[in-house]
């Protein structure tokens, strides 16, 4: 298990044991907004790959693709923190240690969208139906989107592809350019949508 995931599970278990809330002693407080809940300084769903929460893929100073959560306030809102604790608290801790990114991502989809819209494919996992739903979209002749390889809650590789057949065990998400996202919707249409 990587170091960041270990840190994340420590935060999660503290929360499940009832230690949570704002951390006024933290030198970074408030890193997102005044009155925020700091329970999940390390988000249990990281990297969620769901633009709707405010995150996005960026290139780090080391030239690696990472998921940036700078724009996400969802995990710092008290009501959401309580819901996350309630849902994850139903599982034995050992199971939470052993479960993979897909398990946590499905739980986040249920919490945020009300149901799981991601699709299991033979050659990967398609998150585009979740991210593109209920958006204002226009049909395009051709689109490129992203195939993100995840291992142990880390992004190992990101590549642009233009059809789901090109996937090789990755997670498909729309390509984001500013406030526009490009991908294939649940009806198979190539679309550009507004975030
Ligand atoms: S964008 Fe928000 S919910 Fe997603 S991984 Fe980051 S902090 Fe967690």
């Amino acid at each position: 298990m990587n170091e960041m995931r270990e840190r994340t599970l420590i935060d999660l278990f503290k929360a499940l044991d009832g230690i949570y809330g704002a951390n006024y002693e933290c030198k970074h407080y408030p890193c997102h907004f005044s009155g925020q809940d700091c329970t999940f300084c390390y988000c249990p769903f990281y990297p969620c790959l769901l633009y709707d929460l405010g995150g996005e893929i960026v290139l780090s100073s080391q030239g690696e693709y990472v998921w940036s959560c700078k724009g996400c306030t969802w995990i710092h809102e008290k009501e959401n923190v309580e819901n996350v604790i309630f849902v994850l608290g139903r599982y034995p801790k050992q199971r939470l240690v052993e479960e993979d990114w897909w398990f946590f991502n499905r739980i986040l989809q249920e919490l945020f969208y009300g149901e799981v819209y991601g699709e299991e494919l033979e050659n990967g996992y398609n998150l585009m139906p979740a991210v593109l739903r209920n958006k204002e979209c226009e049909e395009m002749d051709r689109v490129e989107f992203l195939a993100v390889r995840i291992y142990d809650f880390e992004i190992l590789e990101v590549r642009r592809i233009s059809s789901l057949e090109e996937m090789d065990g990755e997670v498909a998400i729309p390509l984001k350019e500013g406030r526009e996202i490009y991908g294939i919707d649940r009806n198979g249409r190539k679309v550009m949508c507004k975030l």
Side-chain angles (χ1 to χ4, degrees), residues 40 43-50 53-56 67-69 72-76 108:
F40 296 114
C43 175
F45 306 107
Y46 186 86
C48 71
L49 305 184
L50 297 169
L53 286 131
E56 62 181 337
W67 182 253
S68 163
C69 300
C72 175
T73 54
W74 184 86
I75 198 68
H76 299 299
L108 178 58

Side-chain angles (χ1 to χ4, degrees), residues 40-120:
F40 296 114
C41 186
Y42 292 80
C43 175
F45 306 107
Y46 186 86
C48 71
L49 305 184
L50 297 169
Y51 298 126
D52 289 315
L53 286 131
E56 62 181 337
I57 288 183
V58 297
L59 258 185
S60 73
S61 48
Q62 285 85 38
E64 290 164 353
Y65 288 107
V66 291
W67 182 253
S68 163
C69 300
K70 216 167 147 189
C72 175
T73 54
W74 184 86
I75 198 68
H76 299 299
E77 286 161 21
K78 192 170 179 283
E79 188 189 346
N80 299 332
V81 169
E82 286 171 354
N83 288 338
V84 170
I85 291 171
F86 176 74
V87 171
L88 293 181
R90 293 187 305 207
Y91 297 92
K93 286 182 181 164
Q94 188 56 32
R95 172 130 187 236
L96 296 174
V97 172
E98 288 165 2
E99 281 294 358
D100 56 16
W101 177 89
W102 287 264
F103 169 86
F104 281 88
N105 195 271
R106 280 191 290 267
I107 288 177
L108 178 58
Q109 289 180 55
E110 273 174 7
L111 280 165
F112 186 75
Y113 297 116
E115 92 183 64
V116 176
Y117 290 101
E119 297 172 337
E120 303 273 356

